[in-house]
Amino acid sequence: MENCVCFNLRWVTRAVTQFFDAELRRHGIRPTQTPILGALAAKPGWSMEELSDWLGMERTTLVRNLRPLERDGLLEITGAGRGGRVSVSISAKGRKDLEKAMPAWRAAQQAVVKTLGEHRWSAILSDLDRAALALNN
Amino acid sequence: MENCVCFNLRWVTRAVTQFFDAELRRHGIRPTQTPILGALAAKPGWSMEELSDWLGMERTTLVRNLRPLERDGLLEITGAGRGGRVSVSISAKGRKDLEKAMPAWRAAQQAVVKTLGEHRWSAILSDLDRAALALNN
DNA sequence: CCTGTTAGTGTGTATATACACACCAAGATG
DNA sequence: CATCTTGGTGTGTATATACACACTAACAGG
């Protein structure tokens, strides 16, 4: 049972997340928030469901994850809310903070990629993506 | 940035965890708890630090993760506590519940392994283990 | 206009995670 | 014995995750 796929994936993910967090921490941005801001920076006016689909994240999880970013003014949520479609967009501050944190992200990414080499990492991530998609059907 | 290792790993891990959870749910055991109970079933009298080392889990995270299991009587924590070493052991109920949940775990494990094949999965997990170890130094 | 249906959204509750910090026990040193 | 250090533990606080559920807006059909 020590070969449990779920357990091993969670273990590696914890290690990688902690590593990214150590780099990003001083910029006040969490590893989970980086891709959220990245998506928002690429396109304005996401609905909650679009964004959660794009990120492959439970919609209700995303709602909670946006709260700290909204509170700190990195993004803005406009629209009706309960019942009506909302529109999530990055703010000027959000864009600036993301920009400032990018070098740290790049450093972490490069350091992790270096452990196995870019070729192997991309093969692994590609396979894992395929596995995850298979499980969703 | 959509190739962020951290983000992709977290995504896959969420999918796999949800899949395991769907199988284990009706037994009242979470995917995270299975390996904990497994370790406890293999050896009695773990100290908190030993167990967290073995599971590759932050010690303080483990403390919180043990609470529900302790509350539900699946394990017992004896010893001084704050300051003094503790001894964590599985209970009879814990052993029984784990036993009952094992078929569900096996089913989930097999289904996930089937997505890429056993050979590929074990190569991937072996590489990921190596990567995670490299990051801890 | 009214009502039923559906799609989009948020909440309640519970677990998972981890950094910073505080606490206490036990042995070492004086 | 007193104090000092160190190693093992738990807590405060904050984010991350997701299932079950409730709510509301918008639209359809009468």
Side-chain angles (χ1 to χ4, degrees):
Chain A
M1 195 171 94
E2 57 284 354
N3 62 345
C4 178
V5 175
C6 183
F7 172 65
N8 279 275
L9 275 180
R10 291 184 73 86
W11 176 62
V12 174
T13 299
R14 282 196 299 269
V16 170
T17 299
Q18 283 180 50
F19 189 81
F20 269 77
D21 185 58
E23 290 284 338
L24 293 170
R25 166 170 299 276
R26 62 200 143 104
H27 300 290
I29 290 188
R30 302 296 187 82
T32 319
Q33 302 173 336
T34 315
I36 295 178
L37 292 175
L40 293 179
K43 185 176 92 71
W46 296 76
S47 84
M48 205 59 92
E49 205 166 34
E50 280 172 349
L51 190 52
S52 72
D53 278 357
W54 174 260
L55 297 170
M57 190 176 287
E58 252 297 308
R59 185 185 52 79
T60 61
T61 299
L62 179 62
V63 172
R64 317 296 172 108
N65 287 359
L66 294 188
R67 291 284 172 255
L69 295 169
E70 184 185 25
R71 180 199 59 203
D72 297 343
L74 279 74
L75 56 82
E76 281 149 11
I77 305 179
T78 58
R82 311 178 64 99
R85 280 195 185 80
V86 297
S87 173
V88 188
S89 295
I90 198 169
S91 70
K93 171 168 168 39
R95 208 177 284 274
K96 196 174 64 181
D97 285 7
L98 177 61
E99 203 62 38
K100 263 199 286 193
M102 279 304 290
W105 173 81
R106 244 183 296 274
Q109 172 82 355
Q110 281 176 11
V112 173
V113 167
K114 197 179 170 194
T115 57
L116 299 178
E118 185 159 4
H119 187 275
R120 184 124 33 142
W121 264 113
S122 84
I124 288 175
L125 291 182
S126 162
D127 281 351
L128 289 180
D129 279 16
R130 197 154 47 82
L133 287 176
L135 291 179
N136 284 333
N137 304 335
Chain B
M1 195 172 91
E2 57 283 354
N3 62 346
C4 176
V5 176
C6 183
F7 172 64
N8 279 275
L9 275 180
R10 291 184 73 86
W11 176 64
V12 174
T13 299
R14 282 195 299 269
V16 170
T17 300
Q18 283 180 49
F19 188 82
F20 270 77
D21 184 56
E23 288 284 338
L24 293 171
R25 167 170 298 278
R26 63 203 141 109
H27 299 289
I29 289 188
R30 302 296 187 81
T32 320
Q33 301 173 335
T34 314
I36 295 177
L37 292 175
L40 293 180
K43 185 177 91 73
W46 296 76
S47 83
M48 206 58 93
E49 206 167 33
E50 280 173 348
L51 190 53
S52 71
D53 278 357
W54 174 259
L55 296 170
M57 190 176 286
E58 253 296 310
R59 184 186 52 76
T60 61
T61 299
L62 179 63
V63 172
R64 316 296 172 109
N65 287 358
L66 293 188
R67 292 285 173 252
L69 295 168
E70 184 186 23
R71 180 200 59 203
D72 298 342
L74 278 75
L75 56 82
E76 280 149 13
I77 306 180
T78 58
R82 311 176 65 96
R85 279 194 186 79
V86 296
S87 173
V88 187
S89 295
I90 198 168
S91 69
K93 170 168 168 42
R95 206 176 285 273
K96 197 175 59 179
D97 286 6
L98 176 61
E99 203 61 40
K100 261 199 286 192
M102 280 303 291
W105 172 81
R106 244 183 295 273
Q109 171 82 355
Q110 281 178 11
V112 173
V113 167
K114 197 180 170 193
T115 58
L116 299 179
E118 184 157 6
H119 188 273
R120 182 65 187 134
W121 264 112
S122 85
I124 287 176
L125 292 181
S126 163
D127 280 353
L128 290 180
D129 279 16
R130 198 152 48 82
L133 287 176
L135 292 179
N136 284 335
N137 304 336

